Amino acid sequence: MTIPQSPPVKGEHPLENLADKKIKARRWYHDKLLVTGAIIVGIALFLAAFGEAIAPYDPTVPVGPPSVPPSTTYWFGTDTSGLDVFSRVISAPRIDVTLAVSAAVLSGILGTFIGLMAGFYRGVFSGFIMRVSDVLQAFPVFILAMVLVALSGRNLTNLIFALTFLYTPIFIRLTRAEVLTQRERAYVEAARAAGNSDLKIAIKHVLPNSLTPSLIQLSVTVGFGILLTAGLSFVGAGVRPPNPEWGLMIANSAPQLVLGEWWTSLFPGIAVSLTVVGFAALSNAIERRVATS
Amino acid sequence: MKRKALVASAAVVALTIAGCSGGSSDGSSTDGGTPASNLTYLGLDVPAGLDPDGPSASIPATQMGIANLMEPLVYYKPGTENETGVGLLEYGYDIDKFDGRLAESVTFDEATLTWTFNLREGVTGCDDATFTADDVLYTFARAKSVSGAAPIGWFLSNVANIGGFTTDVFSEDPAVAAEAKELGDWITKTDDYTVVIKQDDANKLFLPVLTIFGLNIYDKEIMEANATPDDPWSHEYANNVNAPSFGPYCVSSWEKNSEMVLEANPDYYGGAPAVANVVWRKVPQSANRLASVSTGAAQLTDSLTPREFASVEGNDAVRAWRATGNLNTFLGMNFQSPPFDNPKVRQAFAYALNYDKIIQDGYFGRAVKWEGQIPMSYPGYSKQDPQFGYDVEKAKQLLAESGWTDDGSLKLTYVSESESTLGPIVTQIKADLAAIGVEIQLDPIPQTQFGDRALVKRDLPFFINDNEKPIGVDAGYATLLFFVSTAQGGLNNMVNYESDVVDGLWAEAKNEASVETRDGILAQVQRQLQEDVAWAPIVQYDNQWLSAPGLSGIVLHPDNSVHFSDLSLTN
């Protein structure tokens, strides 16, 4: 006589759960893109917080002779003002990353909320919001950023607001598109049947289910924000000298290339490239994991 | 290795800039090589206009254009050469310091303050017109018409006490203005080749101002042919087409903001220039200009950064020239903007600067501490106390005595296009001021905005300037230009400095006939300027040129422009 056995139910066996967890952990660990992105972003955030404190020299004060090549004293050399390039490179995230993260978070919050409303309450309001977004996105981002900074003045707060203004439409569009899908789901109908108000349904039920695209976009936006900040400083519309900022460092050093002074622009160039790649990699990896989960 | 990198990058840049450029040969061999008739000069800019009274007259490229096309009546005599071969001029006030140009000779009657100019005969312009006394009268009449955007001709004549050049020309009463604009008996011709000019008071600046581009002589015939009822003095023509005169070069083509091509005037009275064709190209990036000359794609450039210039000194592939002239760098502190209305703050800032470090790191040693507020090579300059050396303790003490508390809002404004040159200097100044407890922000702004705010609105509170030079070679002229109050005729008083003492002394010096007495008065002026810290003088820096090795003849002119007729070139 055989004892009939019920078919195994996935997740019921404690050993099986453990195995799943290990597999998942291995997957995270072996996701090179994710790990690389996370490490770079982690370093960038760490330097944004502590870069200036751990820099060997004050990044805004001449500390040595001008235009000294990399050496044991000045690891990345000095620039034409005698500023230590290494100290400036690791201090720059305080401006570049902080500015980009602030702008990305602000535009994420603002854009997500507006997108939620525009998606949930369709009609004139939604149409108006989308047309305004269309108009804003029709302008070249860089030119519009220059105009905004020129009008509002060159300081960090204005730069953050300018970037926020430019990136908000992206989040509006992403969130609205997701909300349009979510609002037709059965759980929304159920929530409505349970007597919830529209606003409550939107915020409590639809919003959490519509956040994924915005969260993925957030990391990409930080990368773009860093590039835009550096670009604005490169053309003289961003951060004021001698603040450590990668774009500004590259702009001031580019003319020295012809004299063979490569170190003043190479290192900030590598730093800005790596950071942008890091945020993009992290975003890409998260997106991939979300898609496969 | 650094030189290899320079040459490699230079070659790429040069290819893109130079296109087909000068240096072509057309003569037989000499000991020094083959004479070349074509020269490519790369400048920061090309002339935006060619009218001495026009809107672009204050721009160095415009002044250089005029200097190469138009001829003065007299000019400074050549002097010695300095150690790099730059020709220097002899400066002074008396006739023996000047060479006749369009005027063959000059005589002066001290009793009647009358100057008689015997004009050169047989002088022909680019259009084959012949030079006569009528051209001189036309030039002064045009200056007196004050019809241009910037009445520089009138200003120079007024400064030199040329009779009749009074402020009445600006009268709101049309009848008074019209009468004042007539030359009258002050400037007359006795025949086709003799002009008489009378002064209304003694003034040593008479001959010096005649050397300035604003009083170079026009070709009346061509100018009048291009006049219109709305523009009887042909400003449009001079601003956009040509400055017809009797100079060594003629305009062959001119594309504003890009390129000007000059051809030698074959009938130039001084003999046809050795360089027959000049391609003058605008290349704003100094690194690109350096690259082009280093690779031989161009033969001459200037306005390189001190770092760039230092990098090629000793390089056999190029020739580096330098000379100390009237270029200087100073801190401007606006007397109408707190805290700079407080003299102790101005003094504290002047003592806070590490001059030696600025000279070494900012100018690579090619500058000297400026010990006054007048170019140190100018007649009438005298070193006066107090001298501001680097003294942090004294600066701190003065700052404490001033009672001013820094709130971190001070901005040091400078021209953003000069970042390569001024960047290291303002960074050092920021650090120097931080050492005495003053945290400033650096504020680079575009050249046009800087010019408008510093010279027109005069509302820049705190700035650094390395672009002001008095073209009139005289301490009094510089005083009038920068330090005499606007009410008393000061033109470029960027810091709103007002001193009854300086105004009074200038009025006294202006009409003093004795050079010795005049110098004494101007010394008092300079003492007052130092005591008041009218400017905080930092350095006088060298004029620098970079050329092909076969170029010779660079001369330091008061307007710092290159006169192509001075040059000769061998391949």
Side-chain angles (χ1 to χ4, degrees):
Chain A
M1 182 182 167
T2 55
I3 300 168
Q5 286 183 330
S6 57
V9 178
K10 192 173 170 63
E12 271 192 356
H13 198 286
L15 286 177
E16 192 181 86
N17 272 343
L18 186 63
D20 264 4
K21 278 181 185 170
K22 276 186 177 173
I23 290 165
K24 280 180 184 171
R26 265 184 76 188
R27 279 181 188 157
W28 277 94
Y29 184 76
H30 285 288
D31 188 340
K32 288 177 183 166
L33 197 63
L34 184 67
V35 172
T36 308
I39 289 173
I40 293 173
V41 168
I43 292 172
L45 293 175
F46 173 79
L47 291 178
F50 305 109
E52 202 163 335
I54 62 170
Y57 300 103
D58 184 332
T60 62
V61 175
V63 293
S67 306
V68 175
S71 64
T72 49
T73 313
Y74 308 109
W75 296 347
F76 289 179
T78 64
D79 66 8
T80 52
S81 298
L83 302 171
D84 180 49
V85 176
F86 177 73
S87 299
R88 289 173 67 72
V89 167
I90 66 168
S91 300
R94 184 177 58 83
I95 291 173
D96 283 296
V97 175
T98 306
L99 204 148
V101 168
S102 305
V105 169
L106 277 177
S107 55
I109 293 171
L110 200 62
T112 303
F113 181 74
I114 297 173
L116 173 69
M117 294 296 116
F120 202 82
Y121 298 101
R122 285 183 299 184
V124 179
F125 170 73
S126 177
F128 174 74
I129 291 293
M130 296 319 293
R131 292 300 78 75
V132 171
S133 296
D134 287 345
V135 170
L136 283 177
Q137 289 190 293
F139 286 102
V141 172
F142 193 74
I143 304 293
L144 196 54
M146 280 176 64
V147 171
L148 289 173
V149 174
L151 290 176
S152 57
R154 282 172 66 183
N155 60 50
L156 287 181
T157 312
N158 290 342
L159 276 169
I160 290 173
F161 283 132
L163 263 61
T164 302
F165 186 73
L166 291 169
Y167 291 137
T168 297
I170 298 171
F171 290 97
I172 293 177
R173 196 168 290 281
L174 280 173
T175 309
R176 179 178 172 273
E178 188 63 25
V179 169
L180 287 176
T181 312
Q182 295 291 335
R183 73 192 296 277
E184 304 302 330
R185 296 277 172 91
Y187 73 85
V188 174
E189 200 175 322
R192 194 167 280 133
N196 288 302
S197 67
D198 277 358
L199 191 62
K200 192 173 178 183
I201 295 168
I203 292 174
K204 198 173 175 183
H205 300 287
V206 176
L207 178 62
N209 288 297
S210 310
L211 276 177
T212 308
S214 292
L215 288 175
I216 294 167
Q217 177 64 30
L218 205 60
S219 187
V220 178
T221 304
V222 173
F224 279 130
I226 290 169
L227 271 185
L228 190 55
T229 306
L232 285 172
S233 297
F234 186 84
V235 299
V239 175
R240 291 175 195 280
N243 286 310
E245 197 283 322
W246 290 324
L248 188 66
M249 292 171 71
I250 296 169
N252 290 344
S253 305
Q256 314 306 325
L257 276 172
V258 77
L259 301 176
E261 195 176 307
W262 50 270
W263 56 92
T264 47
S265 48
L266 180 70
F267 293 118
I270 290 174
V272 74
S273 306
L274 267 181
T275 311
V276 173
V277 166
F279 277 99
L282 185 66
S283 162
N284 202 298
I286 292 173
E287 186 180 7
R288 211 169 54 189
R289 294 191 73 83
V290 168
T292 55
S293 66
Chain B
M1 179 177 170
K2 197 181 279 185
R3 185 166 295 173
K4 276 184 187 168
L6 166 66
V7 172
S9 8
V12 176
V13 176
L15 281 173
T16 57
I17 292 172
C20 52
S21 71
S24 71
S25 131
D26 72 346
S28 57
S29 287
T30 66
D31 289 347
T34 315
S37 60
N38 299 338
L39 177 136
T40 298
Y41 163 77
L42 306 181
L44 264 175
D45 208 348
V46 292
L50 288 170
D51 184 357
D53 284 350
S56 66
S58 63
I59 298 172
T62 295
Q63 296 172 9
M64 182 162 144
I66 293 168
N68 279 287
L69 297 167
M70 298 180 71
E71 196 71 359
L73 284 171
V74 295
Y75 202 67
Y76 293 108
K77 278 189 171 169
T80 55
E81 283 186 359
N82 74 4
E83 69 279 9
T84 65
V86 176
L88 306 174
L89 301 174
E90 283 187 15
Y91 295 136
Y93 309 100
D94 297 327
I95 290 175
D96 62 344
K97 293 286 182 190
F98 294 84
D99 268 343
R101 289 290 185 89
L102 288 177
E104 200 158 27
S105 64
V106 187
T107 56
F108 178 51
D109 179 3
E110 206 166 336
T112 58
L113 302 175
T114 301
W115 298 81
T116 303
F117 293 84
N118 300 304
L119 306 182
R120 206 174 285 275
E121 295 187 32
V123 173
T124 310
C126 294
D127 58 320
D128 291 334
T130 306
F131 169 65
T132 67
D134 288 333
D135 298 306
V136 179
L137 265 54
Y138 172 86
T139 300
F140 280 96
R142 188 179 191 268
K144 214 176 183 189
S145 74
V146 294
S147 52
I152 289 178
W154 174 88
F155 170 76
L156 295 172
S157 304
N158 173 273
V159 166
N161 276 99
I162 295 179
F165 279 80
T166 64
T167 51
D168 283 350
V169 295
F170 301 107
S171 171
E172 288 179 4
D173 182 337
V176 173
E179 192 183 341
K181 288 176 185 176
E182 296 294 327
L183 285 183
D185 294 337
W186 297 105
I187 303 178
T188 55
K189 68 169 187 176
T190 52
D191 59 48
D192 275 352
Y193 292 99
T194 310
V195 169
V196 174
I197 300 178
K198 294 178 183 170
Q199 289 177 283
D200 56 21
D201 206 339
N203 190 315
K204 301 305 285 184
L205 285 175
F206 181 79
L207 289 177
V209 301
L210 292 184
T211 67
I212 298 176
F213 71 93
L215 289 176
N216 284 7
I217 304 301
Y218 271 115
D219 179 340
K220 178 190 178 196
E221 196 179 308
I222 300 298
M223 287 296 276
E224 287 188 339
N226 288 282
T228 64
D230 290 338
D231 180 21
W233 295 102
S234 310
H235 290 289
E236 278 293 310
Y237 180 71
N239 272 322
N240 299 306
V241 184
N242 192 11
S245 181
F246 307 94
Y249 285 94
C250 315
V251 176
S252 173
S253 68
W254 177 21
E255 192 182 336
K256 285 189 184 183
N257 219 29
S258 173
E259 185 179 279
M260 176 177 258
V261 180
L262 302 175
E263 282 177 359
N265 173 2
D267 300 322
Y268 183 52
Y269 70 88
V275 176
N277 300 292
V278 176
V279 177
W280 175 354
R281 201 164 283 155
K282 175 178 177 173
V283 181
Q285 279 282 350
S286 59
N288 294 342
R289 297 199 298 276
L290 167 68
S292 295
V293 174
S294 299
T295 54
Q299 288 74 48
L300 179 63
T301 189
D302 50 22
S303 304
L304 301 179
T305 68
R307 162 111 175 88
E308 288 163 347
F309 195 81
S311 74
V312 289
E313 273 190 307
N315 181 346
D316 292 340
V318 291
R319 181 169 180 185
W321 312 68
R322 59 186 166 76
T324 305
N326 54 13
L327 297 177
N328 53 64
T329 304
F330 64 93
L331 275 185
M333 296 177 270
N334 200 316
F335 280 62
Q336 290 181 358
S337 303
F340 301 117
D341 52 351
N342 185 332
K344 287 194 185 293
V345 173
R346 298 196 300 273
Q347 289 168 12
F349 278 33
Y351 277 114
L353 305 184
N354 189 339
Y355 297 93
D356 287 344
K357 196 155 171 51
I358 290 171
I359 290 168
Q360 287 311 316
D361 293 353
Y363 289 98
F364 288 79
R366 300 304 184 205
V368 292
K369 184 175 182 298
W370 194 12
E371 297 174 321
Q373 322 217 4
I374 305 294
M376 295 191 287
S377 59
Y378 274 21
Y381 164 78
S382 69
K383 182 179 173 181
Q384 295 292 328
D385 287 332
Q387 286 293 317
F388 302 101
Y390 178 43
D391 189 338
V392 176
E393 290 312 312
K394 191 161 186 175
K396 281 181 180 172
Q397 181 196 331
L398 284 163
L399 204 60
E401 288 171 11
S402 75
W404 173 65
T405 313
D406 175 35
D407 61 359
S409 63
L410 269 186
K411 286 181 187 171
L412 176 60
T413 307
Y414 62 100
V415 174
S416 55
E417 287 89 333
S418 300
E419 180 68 43
S420 293
T421 302
L422 288 179
I425 295 158
V426 293
T427 304
Q428 181 59 45
I429 291 172
K430 181 177 162 61
D432 290 342
L433 293 178
I436 63 164
V438 179
E439 289 295 340
I440 61 164
Q441 299 170 48
L442 301 183
D443 182 32
I445 61 175
Q447 169 99 55
T448 46
Q449 196 184 345
F450 186 92
D452 180 52
R453 292 194 60 192
L455 294 168
V456 182
K457 294 178 183 154
R458 298 174 184 175
D459 66 350
L460 281 180
F462 186 38
F463 58 91
I464 188 167
N465 193 328
D466 69 345
N467 202 28
E468 295 301 329
K469 54 184 187 295
I471 299 177
V473 185
D474 171 58
Y477 183 91
T479 302
L480 172 64
L481 208 57
F482 300 123
F483 303 114
V484 169
S485 64
T486 309
Q488 297 302 316
L491 257 199
N492 294 342
N493 192 335
M494 290 167 277
V495 293
N496 294 302
Y497 173 70
E498 283 189 19
S499 162
D500 291 341
V501 176
V502 169
D503 285 358
L505 288 169
W506 161 243
E508 211 179 307
K510 185 182 177 193
N511 301 124
E512 175 53 57
S514 155
V515 173
E516 202 175 26
T517 310
R518 189 175 185 274
D519 283 353
I521 300 168
L522 291 174
Q524 292 177 58
V525 168
Q526 289 167 78
R527 172 178 284 272
Q528 189 66 42
L529 295 176
Q530 282 292 101
E531 283 175 1
D532 292 341
V533 201
W535 290 350
I538 303 176
V539 297
Q540 252 192 230
Y541 62 93
D542 287 354
N543 290 67
Q544 298 178 332
W545 302 266
L546 188 72
S547 75
L551 188 121
S552 57
I554 291 279
V555 174
L556 174 65
H557 294 278
D559 59 2
N560 300 307
S561 61
V562 175
H563 293 198
F564 298 118
S565 56
D566 296 334
L567 308 177
S568 60
L569 180 66
T570 52
N571 283 327

